[in-house]
Amino acid sequence: MTQKTNPRKYYKFPIFLALAVICGIFIGAVMNSDGSKNNITQSFKRYYEILNYVENDYVDTVNMDELVDFSIVKMLEKLDPHTAYIPKKDIDIARSQLEGDFEGIGIEFNIIKDTIYVVAPISGGPSEAVGLMAGDKIVKVDDKSVAGAGITNGDVFSKLRGPKGTKVKVTIVRKNAKKPLDFVITRDKIPTYSVDVSYMVDQTTGYIKVSRFSANTYTEFKQALTGLKAKGMKQLIIDLKDNPGGYMDRATRIVDELLDDRKLIVYTDGKDPRYDSRIEAYMNGDFEKGPVIVLINEGSASASEIVSGALQDNDRALIVGRRSFGKGLVQMPIPLSDGSELRLTISRYYTPSGRSIQKPYDKNNTDDYSSDLLKRYQHGEFFHADSIKFNDSLKYKTTKGRYVYGGGGIMPDIFVPRDTTAFTTYLVELFNKNIIREYTLDYYSNNKEELQKMTFEEFKKTFTVTDKMLKEVVDLATRSGVKFKESDFNKSKNMLKNNIKAYIGRSVWGNSGFYPIINETDEIYLSALKQWDKAKEIELGKKKK
């Protein structure tokens, strides 16, 4: 379009963006139930007129970009809980959660008391190359202070990430250094990992932790599987607890490594036939024989539920944990012309038995949907399996005759209640204030040479969290405003010691030093280790209703 317009009369880009989004929502829905046509043009015109009047005649100056973004978000809330609009300013952070890598300085960080702590420089990254260390506190970026109230993860991303080859100056405070230290870091491409760790639990049991399904997840899983088989793995635990999902095709390819004979993995059904699909196992997988246990909980959603649902319905794995989140809607990312993005629900997915695991939602009450996990907690579901009620009309059967249910997440074969004994109010306050993380970073800084002389196996077997260390944690907590509660402390003592040891291990060996220790107090993991007989029964085809 080459004709010039009056910018006063026709407010430029935000209006056109909003109209384009609205057009995308309503295309394909032009017919009412009585067969008459919706007048979409009138809807466009009405919205356009309002924006134009606000821009030209409203008494105060208005940020039209923010106004349009807000109106789009509120409009999409009338569709379903997972259709979403991501403004341009937030798109990099949103996409980085699914991309296989990003460009930046390469650190894992945590914000503690409004200060950016370096948890660890990423191995082989530019921060490690210039000498940043675990426990360093970043106080300035390009000579501007970043220490203070209100610093957020988004702020850190915007200041430290950037195009490969660009430079950024960071000023850090380091334990035992007499004055702040300056480092000029050249940004580079930083690999990120979604398979957090894989290791042998014992001589025959392998463990793989998948934190999300991002661009490289399948490749990472395949490498982990190959490595564990080379070490003698005969049975496998896949940990999907708190995995929010991600790319569907990465999830289905992982399932294909475990299923044989063109078995159905998942199918989708949308209003437009273009979005209908049927995905079956098609390749020779690396672990099609051997018991499998999948760990899930209330934080396992979307692609995690595709994996656990497919393996459960095909009687290929025993599912252990608590009922999953219940997200059975598929979103398609649609890039918009200004760099923002619409993630539009285009279909529902169904497990092989025919289950839709999408939990109910009210289009007019999104708050009710978002508070579902809190309601589950209050109802007692996290602690008692018999508090969970399923609709008999949504009963289905697995390939070998076991009953499963749709309409609200994946119900595990073995329910594991949440452990409330050790999770006292005092321990929760320590977590919320990042006391344990702060203490362990300082401990690592003060004892780095001694710790790095040990192998992880030696550390795991011989390192003990002493009473002196516990007192130091309590003293730090007291200085940070956490009131000491002796009865809570005694109940939480063992878990507190485990967490301190695990986080020290993480500072030295990364996730390989963290998960083998933290799992020693994970009730779902510990329960799974006792369920191999049931997992073998499923694999051998014994029907259990």
Side-chain angles (χ1 to χ4, degrees), residues 21-191:
V21 172
I22 296 172
C23 180
I25 297 298
F26 285 102
I27 285 176
V30 297
M31 299 299 292
N32 288 323
S33 59
D34 61 0
S36 63
K37 290 186 177 180
N38 286 321
N39 194 339
I40 298 178
T41 302
Q42 287 299 319
S43 299
F44 295 161
K45 182 178 179 181
R46 186 167 66 252
Y47 188 72
Y48 170 82
E49 286 177 339
I50 291 173
L51 287 175
N52 199 42
Y53 279 121
V54 170
E55 166 62 10
N56 294 327
D57 302 316
Y58 184 64
V59 63
D60 295 324
T61 301
V62 175
N63 184 320
M64 292 298 289
D65 281 319
E66 290 184 359
L67 191 64
V68 169
D69 284 350
F70 178 79
S71 66
I72 294 171
V73 169
K74 299 306 289 184
M75 174 184 66
L76 297 180
E77 286 179 358
K78 291 295 184 180
L79 301 181
D80 67 82
H82 299 293
T83 289
Y85 166 71
I86 303 173
K88 181 181 178 180
K89 63 182 178 65
D90 298 327
I91 198 66
D92 287 341
I93 295 175
R95 287 178 178 170
S96 69
Q97 296 171 357
L98 293 178
E99 291 173 354
D101 49 43
F102 64 92
E103 293 178 350
I105 69 169
I107 60 167
E108 181 186 350
F109 70 91
N110 205 337
I111 298 175
I112 302 174
K113 297 177 183 175
D114 296 317
T115 301
I116 306 167
Y117 275 72
V118 177
V119 173
I122 294 175
S123 179
S127 289
E128 183 185 57
V130 301
L132 258 64
M133 299 180 178
D136 287 347
K137 303 174 188 178
I138 299 177
V139 294
K140 291 183 181 179
V141 175
D142 288 330
D143 295 321
K144 295 181 180 179
S145 176
V146 292
I151 188 76
T152 65
N153 289 339
D155 295 331
V156 179
F157 290 145
S158 66
K159 294 177 185 300
L160 297 183
R161 290 187 177 182
K164 177 181 178 179
T166 59
K167 297 181 184 295
V168 61
K169 178 183 176 183
V170 298
T171 302
I172 65 103
V173 172
R174 177 172 294 167
K175 191 90 170 178
N176 299 324
K178 294 182 179 179
K179 60 180 182 180
L181 306 174
D182 291 330
F183 296 89
V184 176
I185 306 171
T186 302
R187 297 182 178 98
D188 202 347
K189 183 163 283 190
I190 310 298

Side-chain angles (χ1 to χ4, degrees), residues 3-4 23 50 69 113 119 131 139 195 205 226 255 311 314 323 390 398 430 476 502 517 527:
Q3 182 181 2
K4 293 184 179 180
C23 180
I50 291 173
D69 284 350
K113 297 177 183 175
V119 173
V139 294
V195 173
T205 306
T226 300
V255 175
L311 295 176
N314 282 292
R323 182 162 68 104
F390 287 101
T398 68
L430 295 184
L476 175 61
I517 295 174
S527 176

Side-chain angles (χ1 to χ4, degrees), residues 229-430:
K229 285 181 65 181
K231 294 178 181 178
M233 180 184 69
K234 304 298 181 186
Q235 52 194 27
L236 172 64
I237 296 174
I238 302 175
D239 190 344
L240 300 181
K241 298 192 310 297
D242 296 313
N243 182 320
Y247 291 121
M248 177 188 287
D249 64 325
R250 275 62 167 189
T252 58
R253 291 178 73 186
I254 285 175
V255 175
D256 202 350
E257 292 291 340
L258 308 171
L259 281 183
D260 60 5
D261 298 334
R262 299 199 66 83
K263 290 176 180 173
L264 181 61
I265 295 174
V266 68
Y267 67 93
T268 63
D269 183 29
K271 180 172 63 180
D272 190 322
R274 290 180 301 162
Y275 304 129
D276 296 349
S277 64
R278 181 180 176 89
I279 302 173
E280 299 176 344
Y282 68 92
M283 62 182 179
N284 292 324
D286 276 354
F287 199 69
E288 293 182 352
K289 302 296 181 183
V292 177
I293 293 178
V294 177
L295 313 184
I296 62 172
N297 66 1
E298 56 279 356
S300 307
S302 189
S304 299
E305 295 170 303
I306 289 176
V307 173
S308 50
L311 295 176
Q312 186 179 49
D313 283 7
N314 282 292
D315 293 289
R316 179 65 189 93
L318 185 76
I319 312 301
V320 177
R322 291 185 290 275
R323 182 162 68 104
S324 64
F325 183 83
K327 179 181 181 293
L329 303 175
V330 181
Q331 284 72 49
M332 178 175 68
I334 304 173
L336 302 177
S337 54
D338 75 328
S340 58
E341 185 173 278
L342 171 66
R343 294 185 178 176
L344 183 67
T345 297
I346 56 170
S347 61
R348 291 179 172 84
Y349 74 76
Y350 298 84
T351 70
S353 67
R355 288 186 286 171
S356 168
I357 57 82
Q358 175 62 47
K359 62 185 178 182
Y361 60 88
D362 181 352
K363 295 178 181 180
N364 297 313
N365 189 355
T366 55
D367 289 341
D368 187 61
Y369 185 85
S370 61
S371 63
D372 175 64
L373 293 185
L374 177 60
K375 290 182 178 179
R376 292 193 201 182
Y377 177 87
Q378 293 172 337
H379 186 61
E381 177 180 324
F382 293 172
F383 315 106
H384 308 287
D386 56 8
S387 69
I388 306 169
K389 306 298 181 185
F390 287 101
N391 189 334
D392 279 345
S393 67
L394 299 177
K395 181 187 290 187
Y396 299 83
K397 281 188 177 183
T398 68
T399 56
K400 294 172 183 174
R402 296 185 300 142
Y403 286 124
V404 290
Y405 292 85
I410 300 294
M411 183 65 187
D413 302 303
I414 303 296
F415 174 82
V416 182
R418 178 179 284 184
D419 179 13
T420 58
T421 305
F423 276 98
T424 61
T425 303
Y426 184 69
L427 184 63
V428 170
E429 287 187 71
L430 295 184

